[in-house]
Amino acid sequence: MPPKPFATGPGPREQRSLFGEILDWMLAPLLMLWPMSVALTWLVAENIANRPFDHALRETARALAHHIASSEGAMGQLPGVLSEFLRADNVDTVYFQVLGTRGEYVSGDRELPVPDDGPARPGEVLLRNDETHHEPVRVAYVWVQLASAPDDGPALVQVAETLNKRSQLATEIIKGVILPQFLILPVAVLLVWLALSRGIAPLSELQQRIRRRRSDDLSPIDEREAPEEVAPLVRSINDLLARLDQSLQTQKHFLADAAHQLKTPLAGLRMQAELAQREIDAGQRDPQELKKSLRQIARSSQRAAHMVNQLLSLARAENQGQLAHRHEVPLARIAMDAVHEFFPRAMEKRIDLGYEGPDPEQADARGPRVLGNPLLVKELVRNLVDNAILYTPEGGTVTVRMYNDPFGQVSVLQVEDTGPGIPEAEREKVFQPFYRALGTDVDGSGLGLAIVREIAQQHEAVVVIDDARPAVDGQSRGTRVTVRFPAEAAAAEAARAPGA
């Protein structure tokens, strides 16, 4: 079997744990600060351990300097008692050195290095870190002005001590501080874990309450039973549940209306088919009656097919996923195609169907253009033209008009007819599914303008219905439907905006 190729795409994102995130962000700084605490404690312990030993070393150097300064005549070897005292330490090795006024060796350890800073104020004891006999030492040194040689330079007295006692004391301090931390740290981790478990317990309770709900229970979640930090999330969920409940109620109402609307043409289709069958069974062979029944069957099937197509168009218009990728849509071309498509139907009713606007056939003509879905925009124009022809009486006029409004930065589509018009009180209702204006005997589905409104909203367009012309002597005023799309530049800017 050949080896599988390496995956090049990003893998599935690992699910994150809120408990783990909080625990990590609480323990990680603690574990990072612990080594820093150890290092800082070591420095403090060394400083604490050096203080008493430095004080003792200063006093030893001061006592040795005082002895030399008070000696009469030339400096000689130290008294045996003092020499034994300097070497009485069983832990550290103590070295001393005495140099004369000219820097000559007088007594002590010859290998003890001389300070680099030169003579300082006589009588002032100074400290430094140095090395002798391949060991680090702490050195206390003092310059002594001899009374027997006032005109000569000062003599140098140095006392050095190894660092064993200091290291032992610093280690003991570190043990006394760090060892309790080793015991406290696991206890702290356990307490943090218990505190977090107790803190997120309300989230688990909220999860269980939601999980125990029935699938049809869309009632809001009680915010008072949720922690304050989770209240915004609960409010968002409640808002989503409210919108989902409204959507389901609208869907149920729509399905009920659709079933009711489809029942009529299907019942008529069945009745005409049964009537034709009874006539044939009764031996009646009248061709005219059969043709009449067949025409009724064809009309009922056409009405049912039109209803189904409108329902599918509305469902397609409500699918907002189609606008994920927007394209430049030539409105003039779509409007002209719609006029050509409905021209035979307009001729059957002797309706004057015309188009006013830029000619899409001209190469240099740049007519109205928008960003959107071409299929949905075409569906919008077709429904407007179909609705206008459907409600316009024989001998009337339907005009499709296109133009750009540079001041409002919109592309305008108008469909104007000489039909009965829509009363002002019903102009908002006609956008509801299955609603038909009163006073018309037209057999329509009541879905055309609902589809138009849905598509317009998805394209951020505005639909307005008004009278085509002022009423004169009570005659028909007609209907003009105006759709204002954002112009291409404005639509492109809106599509690039965050959240578009």
Side-chain angles (χ1 to χ4, degrees):
M1 179 180 295
K4 295 182 179 180
F6 291 102
T8 56
R13 185 175 180 180
E14 184 179 357
Q15 189 175 14
R16 299 168 61 185
S17 168
L18 181 61
F19 181 86
E21 288 282 334
I22 299 177
L23 193 63
D24 289 345
W25 281 103
M26 292 186 67
L27 295 183
L30 183 62
L31 296 178
M32 291 177 61
L33 290 175
W34 185 74
M36 298 175 59
S37 173
V38 172
L40 185 62
T41 303
W42 178 265
L43 294 177
V44 173
E46 282 191 335
N47 186 29
I48 294 175
N50 282 333
R51 287 179 184 177
F53 294 110
D54 284 349
H55 178 73
L57 195 62
R58 281 195 185 96
E59 292 301 321
T60 302
R62 188 176 288 113
L64 182 58
H66 178 72
H67 173 76
I68 293 177
S70 61
S71 298
E72 296 293 338
M75 295 182 294
Q77 297 293 330
L78 288 176
V81 176
L82 181 59
S83 178
E84 291 297 328
F85 170 75
L86 291 176
R87 303 183 184 277
D89 197 331
N90 296 327
V91 179
D92 283 312
T93 303
V94 179
Y95 305 97
F96 71 94
Q97 183 187 70
V98 179
L99 299 181
T101 57
R102 297 181 179 84
E104 72 277 11
Y105 171 78
V106 175
S107 178
D109 193 328
R110 292 180 178 272
E111 296 186 9
L112 195 62
V114 179
D116 299 331
D117 50 1
R121 186 174 60 182
E124 181 181 2
V125 181
L126 302 177
L127 294 171
R128 75 175 190 274
N129 293 320
D130 216 323
E131 183 178 343
T132 184
H133 298 285
H134 306 289
E135 284 187 297
V137 292
R138 184 75 165 168
V139 182
Y141 60 100
V142 58
W143 299 91
V144 182
Q145 186 67 46
L146 299 178
S148 59
D151 297 332
D152 295 336
L156 175 63
V157 176
Q158 296 189 98
V159 179
E161 182 183 44
T162 56
L163 307 179
N164 296 330
K165 292 194 300 294
R166 301 167 187 262
S167 298
Q168 290 178 2
L169 180 58
T171 302
E172 292 298 324
I173 296 175
I174 289 293
K175 289 180 180 180
V177 175
I178 298 302
L179 289 180
Q181 291 186 10
F182 277 107
L183 300 177
I184 293 174
L185 188 61
V187 176
V189 173
L190 179 61
L191 292 178
V192 168
W193 186 85
L194 293 176
L196 284 179
S197 300
R198 180 66 183 90
I200 67 172
L203 293 180
S204 301
E205 296 175 2
L206 179 62
Q207 174 193 0
Q208 294 300 324
R209 288 200 303 271
I210 296 176
R211 189 182 297 273
R212 287 193 298 266
R213 282 190 166 210
R214 301 190 311 272
S215 59
D216 57 344
D217 184 7
L218 298 179
S219 59
I221 304 172
D222 190 0
E223 298 181 18
R224 295 172 298 179
E225 298 182 2
E228 181 180 356
E229 292 77 10
V230 190
L233 176 61
V234 174
R235 284 194 291 269
S236 300
I237 294 177
N238 288 338
D239 180 66
L240 175 62
L241 290 176
R243 288 185 280 116
L244 180 59
D245 183 55
Q246 182 180 1
S247 176
L248 291 177
Q249 294 299 330
T250 303
Q251 185 179 14
K252 291 179 181 179
H253 182 69
F254 176 79
L255 291 175
D257 290 342
H260 178 72
Q261 294 293 329
L262 285 173
K263 186 185 299 183
T264 301
L266 294 178
L269 181 64
R270 178 180 178 182
M271 182 183 67
Q272 292 298 328
E274 291 177 351
L275 180 61
Q277 184 178 2
R278 283 198 299 268
E279 290 178 353
I280 295 175
D281 293 340
Q284 298 179 2
R285 302 288 183 173
D286 187 359
Q288 297 300 326
E289 292 296 330
L290 291 177
K291 287 182 180 181
K292 183 179 179 180
S293 297
L294 292 176
R295 280 196 298 270
Q296 292 294 335
I297 291 175
R299 187 178 302 172
S300 298
S301 62
Q302 183 179 4
R303 180 182 175 187
H306 180 70
M307 177 73 68
V308 172
N309 289 332
Q310 291 289 79
L311 290 174
L312 292 176
S313 298
L314 182 60
R316 185 167 57 248
E318 292 177 346
N319 182 15
Q320 299 185 5
Q322 297 192 34
L323 288 181
H325 303 287
R326 301 191 177 196
H327 305 281
E328 186 182 84
V329 180
L331 284 178
R333 164 62 63 186
I334 290 179
M336 181 67 75
D337 292 342
V339 170
H340 290 163
E341 180 182 353
F342 285 94
F343 188 76
R345 182 176 163 191
M347 290 294 295
E348 292 179 1
K349 296 182 64 175
R350 294 185 293 109
I351 294 176
D352 182 11
L353 176 60
Y355 168 78
E356 295 179 3
D359 185 3
E361 301 297 337
Q362 296 180 2
D364 58 345
R366 183 168 179 81
R369 295 173 182 268
V370 298
L371 287 180
N373 186 284
L375 294 178
L376 294 183
V377 175
K378 180 179 180 180
E379 191 68 29
L380 180 145
V381 177
R382 290 184 72 260
N383 276 276
L384 287 178
V385 177
D386 177 52
N387 207 61
I389 294 176
L390 184 64
Y391 285 92
T392 300
E394 293 187 1
T397 302
V398 175
T399 304
V400 180
R401 187 177 297 111
M402 298 292 308
Y403 64 91
N404 275 328
D405 182 2
F407 299 101
Q409 294 187 349
V410 293
S411 298
V412 181
L413 164 68
Q414 287 184 343
V415 178
E416 186 177 290
D417 62 56
T418 58
I422 301 176
E424 188 173 354
E426 299 186 21
R427 289 176 182 172
E428 189 63 28
K429 297 180 181 179
V430 296
F431 291 108
Q432 300 176 4
F434 306 111
Y435 182 87
R436 289 189 289 270
L438 299 176
T440 60
D441 56 354
V442 178
D443 188 15
S445 64
L447 292 173
L449 291 180
I451 296 174
V452 170
R453 167 67 68 86
E454 182 66 30
I455 297 176
Q457 288 179 348
Q458 293 194 25
H459 288 78
E460 301 175 1
V462 179
V463 184
V464 178
I465 297 178
D466 55 5
D467 297 327
R469 57 190 178 280
V472 179
D473 298 333
Q475 295 182 358
S476 170
R477 297 173 294 180
T479 303
R480 179 171 57 232
V481 181
T482 304
V483 184
R484 292 182 174 88
F485 292 91
E488 181 184 355
E493 190 68 25
R496 288 192 296 267

